[in-house]
Amino acid sequence: GDKKYEHILTSTPVPKVALVTLNRPKALNALCTPLIKELNEALQAADADPTIGAIVLTGSEKSFAAGADIKEMKDKTVTSVLNENFIEEWGNMANIKKPIIAAVNGFALGGGCELAMMADIIYAGAKAKFGQPEIKLGVIPGAGGTQRLTRAIGLYRANHYILTGEMFTAQQAADWGLAAKVYEPAQLVDESVKAAAQIASYGQLAVQAAKASVHQSAEVGLRAGLEFERVRFHGLFGTHDQKEGMAAFAEKREPNFKNE
Ligand code: HXC
């Protein structure tokens, strides 16, 4: 159903695509804990909805997300962050099985950059600004920045940006392989929804096997990763959609995937 959230908006702009829009404009979409809870709820609902095949996550043209909420964090203590396991639930996003595209306009800083990197694909608006400025606040990235940014852009570049807190541009993000594409800011969400619709048009068992296999490359060594890929690949030969996809090619027609 159309649940009303306080800090996010949800919609289905085209069939099979869930669009989640961060909506805390006065705080540049700073990621307070209630927002993260709502985001998890919306993503889990989309993941569980059989009519949805892919998810787009975006913010505003000014800001994707300016980081964790500094005003919420400033008085926390070691005891309080340990007791509430602060930031732990941000990781729930990594358990979503359907592909997530982060459509990043404006600021993606700190936890905002880390949130974008928890998605599977990043498309950037031409004026997007990425960065991990936590060092300026006396802390370090705490939602995956030291790990995911390093894997995405390389160790020495990651050290530079994490240690200086300097921002980098959409074009730099694209040149280094973090953003897959750069679009005009006003086109970004439409183009992201289009790509999500294309992904959602394929057999979802194959899509989810592809996502899981690519993610496995960050978890294990090459031999174990190849083994994981082969098991998932072989398994797809038990699906209707493999028979249908290959038959349709041979018969020069469009496939009719059933997600089975
Ligand atoms: C709380 C924030 C915020 C944040 C912006 N705001 N970022 N509030 N947490 N992360 C609020 C401001 O306080 C201000 O509120 C309003 O949003 C508008 O911001 P301005 O600073 O006035 O806008 P501007 O001058 O355009 O500057 C934009 C900015 C700057 C460069 C993005 O806001 C900024 O540097 N923000 C903090 C970025 C950051 O350090 N992020 C990392 C956070 S630490 P008022 O009430 O004054 O209007 C982090 C840790 C992650 O993310 C680890 C675990 C997740």
Side-chain angles (χ1 to χ4, degrees), residues 219-240:
E219 304 291 344
V220 301
L222 181 61
R223 186 182 291 266
L226 291 171
E227 188 69 30
F228 183 95
E229 178 192 76
R230 195 173 321 106
V231 169
R232 297 301 295 258
F233 175 73
H234 285 166
L236 292 169
F237 283 80
T239 66
H240 162 276

Side-chain angles (χ1 to χ4, degrees), residues 17-247:
V17 175
L19 175 63
V20 179
T21 305
L22 306 177
N23 186 33
R24 256 194 106 194
K26 285 183 186 144
L28 301 181
N29 291 331
L31 302 164
C32 58
T33 298
L35 184 154
I36 293 293
K37 283 188 200 306
E38 290 185 359
L39 177 60
N40 277 327
E41 227 180 282
L43 293 175
Q44 282 159 17
D47 216 28
D49 182 344
T51 70
I52 295 297
I55 301 161
V56 175
L57 173 62
T58 196
S60 67
E61 274 205 27
K62 171 139 204 229
S63 182
F64 177 76
D69 191 317
I70 299 167
K71 293 163 192 167
E72 178 192 304
M73 278 186 295
K74 69 182 182 34
D75 296 323
K76 288 191 191 295
T77 65
V78 173
T79 309
S80 73
V81 296
L82 285 172
N83 280 326
E84 65 181 284
N85 207 355
F86 180 52
I87 299 299
E88 201 269 343
E89 62 194 355
W90 287 49
N92 292 351
M93 193 165 155
N95 298 328
I96 301 296
K97 291 195 168 66
K98 292 173 185 173
I100 304 173
I101 298 175
V104 177
N105 266 327
F107 296 113
L109 300 178
C113 186
E114 293 171 304
L115 183 66
M117 292 191 291
M118 286 180 213
D120 303 295
I121 299 172
I122 299 175
Y123 296 144
K127 292 181 181 155
K129 291 274 194 192
F130 296 83
Q132 299 287 166
E134 288 91 341
I135 201 76
K136 298 180 176 178
L137 300 169
V139 292
I140 65 171
T146 63
Q147 306 303 299
R148 292 196 177 95
L149 189 66
T150 304
R151 283 169 165 84
I153 72 175
L155 191 145
Y156 294 97
R157 220 153 20 207
N159 272 333
H160 170 80
Y161 286 98
I162 290 168
L163 292 171
T164 64
E166 200 180 291
M167 294 186 208
F168 55 93
T169 64
Q171 192 54 54
Q172 286 173 308
D175 290 345
W176 304 333
L178 180 65
K181 301 209 177 187
V182 179
Y183 290 109
E184 279 309 306
Q187 306 302 319
L188 173 70
V189 174
D190 281 356
E191 294 293 341
S192 301
V193 167
K194 252 190 246 172
Q198 183 177 6
I199 292 167
S201 76
Y202 302 132
Q204 292 306 298
L205 295 170
V207 166
Q208 289 173 31
K211 168 169 171 163
S213 298
V214 172
H215 275 277
Q216 192 70 358
S217 72
E219 304 291 344
V220 301
L222 181 61
R223 186 182 291 266
L226 291 171
E227 188 69 30
F228 183 95
E229 178 192 76
R230 195 173 321 106
V231 169
R232 297 301 295 258
F233 175 73
H234 285 166
L236 292 169
F237 283 80
T239 66
H240 162 276
D241 287 347
Q242 174 270 330
K243 298 285 172 299
E244 171 62 10
M246 293 189 182

